[in-house]
Amino acid sequence: MGRKRWFGLAAAVVAAAVVLAGCSGSKPAAEKEGASGGSEAAVIKIGTVGPLSGNAATYGQSTKHGVEIAVDEVNKAGGISGTQVELVPEDSRGDQTEAANATRKLVEQDKVVAIVGAVLSSETLSGGPIANDAKVPMISSSSTAPGIPDIGPYIFRNCISDNVQAAQLAEYAVQELKVKRFAVMFTNNDYGMALRDGFTAKAKELGEVVAVEAYTDGDANFSAQLTKIKAQNPDALYIGGYYTEAAKIAQQAKEMGLKVQLLGADGFYSSKLTELGGDAVEGAVFTAGFYSGDTSPAVQNFVAAYKAKFNEEPDMFAAQAYDAAKIVLEAIKKAGSTDTTKIQAALAATRDFPGITGTTSFTANGDAEKDIVILKVEQGKFVRVR
């Protein structure tokens, strides 16, 4: 059942909260108790779930930072109908069970009205059903595995699915880069397997797939897989995974004398790719949902705010999280309520939302409809080629 907490009527909310607290012993999310025991102004709580520690922490931190920028903007502008927004971040540590526990805490203890997350597809697949059953809207800005929007009507995402981005890059590679013999390496999780399936299906239509090899996130030695791949003499190597392992694979491929066009997905999009990969990732082409070099005022305002607050360049995870948070905050405003069923309805009605990662609409099952960007590494920088 959705929680109905009208905002903009702070006095009425606080009065109702006192009655409820007296009846149940719990405090509604829209009320904060001051140190003196008195009540402060009501707040609207939204949560985030993602890896803030562990091997995937950079993705989770970027996501959290992107949401923070969106919340800061809304609060500086006076909040939503005069009510400030409070962000409650939870650390999943990149683990499915931890993600489920974090989602349950946000729903049951913190009583957030919406969640931006989770970050990894495996996390959203475990936490999503909990949020959906509790009728708390959840929008992932980076979980690209197939089936995520199908969890239920309260689950949305603001990124292109893996099979769509992988198939589009296979087409681009054949038509624009003129390569036809492909090898594929993928990280052995939901994200990597979905990219593998999407890329190999389209590559087989347009060319030939000569090798497919798996690895695990955190691996450091890829010589066994690369030796098999080199023996098949491919034109290109598609890596369905994240930048840390991709950079190491590229370096080891170069050391082995494997000369291929390096291809990848949105997991490549971080300055860490070039920092870790150096010359080995020069010329790599990959799909992305954001380009920080876009000269539009909206993008450059976000980039400036992000750099000012965190002293670093925002990556795709941060940008997509910023847009996801803005979509949620706009839905709360349109709902005119913190009733989660009304927020879900407002989210589902989102059409042509003008974000920094493109214009977003939701399909009937909550999946994103937006354009894919293709980037290339040139002289250690990312440039847009489509």
Side-chain angles (χ1 to χ4, degrees):
M1 180 179 293
R3 293 181 296 280
K4 186 176 183 179
R5 295 187 291 276
W6 295 94
F7 56 80
L9 298 173
V13 170
V14 171
V18 170
V19 173
L20 289 171
C23 293
S24 65
S26 62
K27 294 182 184 302
E31 182 187 8
K32 290 178 66 180
E33 185 171 289
S36 64
S39 294
E40 299 175 352
V43 296
I44 298 170
K45 288 186 177 181
I46 65 171
T48 62
V49 176
L52 304 179
S53 60
N55 292 334
T58 55
Y59 316 127
Q61 291 287 357
S62 290
T63 298
K64 174 174 169 286
H65 290 168
V67 176
E68 285 180 14
I69 296 294
V71 170
D72 285 351
E73 287 182 3
V74 167
N75 285 339
K76 287 178 181 175
I80 300 177
S81 298
T83 304
Q84 293 287 288
V85 178
E86 178 181 329
L87 178 63
V88 185
E90 284 295 324
D91 184 4
S92 65
R93 301 177 179 84
D95 178 82
Q96 284 181 287
T97 302
E98 293 288 347
N101 292 338
T103 303
R104 188 171 290 107
K105 175 183 177 294
L106 288 171
V107 169
E108 296 178 356
Q109 295 184 31
D110 300 307
K111 300 190 183 303
V112 300
V113 300
I115 297 170
V116 178
V119 174
L120 306 180
S121 293
S122 56
E123 296 176 336
T124 305
L125 288 169
S126 64
I130 295 169
N132 189 70
D133 289 348
K135 296 187 176 180
V136 173
M138 186 176 196
I139 176 170
S140 175
S141 55
S142 56
S143 296
T144 49
I148 284 176
D150 299 325
I151 292 172
Y154 282 76
I155 307 304
F156 300 82
R157 70 174 164 195
N158 180 40
C159 54
I160 300 294
S161 65
D162 296 326
N163 52 339
V164 171
Q165 64 168 313
Q168 288 195 16
L169 188 61
E171 286 183 344
Y172 180 85
V174 172
Q175 295 170 2
E176 302 296 331
L177 303 178
K178 309 301 181 186
V179 292
K180 288 193 173 183
R181 286 175 57 83
F182 298 98
V184 175
M185 290 183 70
F186 67 99
T187 183
N188 197 17
N189 59 24
D190 292 323
Y191 174 62
M193 289 188 286
L195 290 172
R196 174 202 62 188
D197 293 345
F199 189 88
T200 54
K202 182 57 69 175
K204 286 178 180 177
E205 284 182 24
L206 304 175
E208 184 180 6
V209 177
V210 298
V212 179
E213 297 288 337
Y215 63 87
T216 301
D217 285 343
D219 284 354
N221 188 337
F222 304 93
S223 59
Q225 298 97 320
L226 290 170
T227 297
K228 294 178 184 176
I229 288 171
K230 186 178 180 182
Q232 299 302 317
N233 192 31
D235 299 326
L237 171 60
Y238 180 78
I239 301 174
Y242 301 104
Y243 54 78
T244 302
E245 288 76 23
K248 294 176 182 175
I249 290 170
Q251 287 179 324
Q252 292 173 29
K254 185 177 181 180
E255 291 169 1
M256 293 176 61
L258 178 58
K259 297 180 179 179
V260 290
Q261 170 63 55
L262 195 63
L263 305 171
D266 51 7
F268 274 34
Y269 194 24
S270 169
S271 58
K272 297 290 184 184
L273 178 74
T274 52
E275 290 177 21
L276 297 171
D279 292 344
V281 298
E282 186 68 18
V285 173
F286 58 95
T287 47
F290 171 67
Y291 176 47
S292 63
D294 189 321
T295 57
S296 70
V299 170
Q300 290 310 308
N301 287 341
F302 167 74
V303 171
Y306 195 96
K307 286 181 175 178
K309 183 161 186 168
F310 303 112
N311 195 32
E312 63 182 13
E313 186 92 9
D315 59 16
M316 182 197 66
F317 289 87
Q320 291 185 163
Y322 170 83
D323 271 357
K326 296 278 282 190
I327 290 171
V328 165
L329 296 169
E330 181 67 16
I332 297 172
K333 181 179 178 181
K334 287 182 176 178
S337 167
T338 50
D339 183 331
T340 57
T341 60
K342 293 183 178 179
I343 296 172
Q344 186 275 344
L347 277 170
T350 299
R351 297 289 182 274
D352 300 326
F353 181 87
I356 61 171
T357 60
T359 301
T360 299
S361 297
F362 289 127
T363 63
N365 70 344
D367 210 353
E369 289 183 328
K370 58 198 310 178
D371 294 331
I372 194 75
V373 172
I374 296 180
L375 302 180
K376 181 180 182 181
V377 179
E378 285 188 359
Q379 298 181 340
K381 304 292 184 182
F382 299 135
V383 297
R384 183 171 182 167
V385 294
R386 193 186 80 176

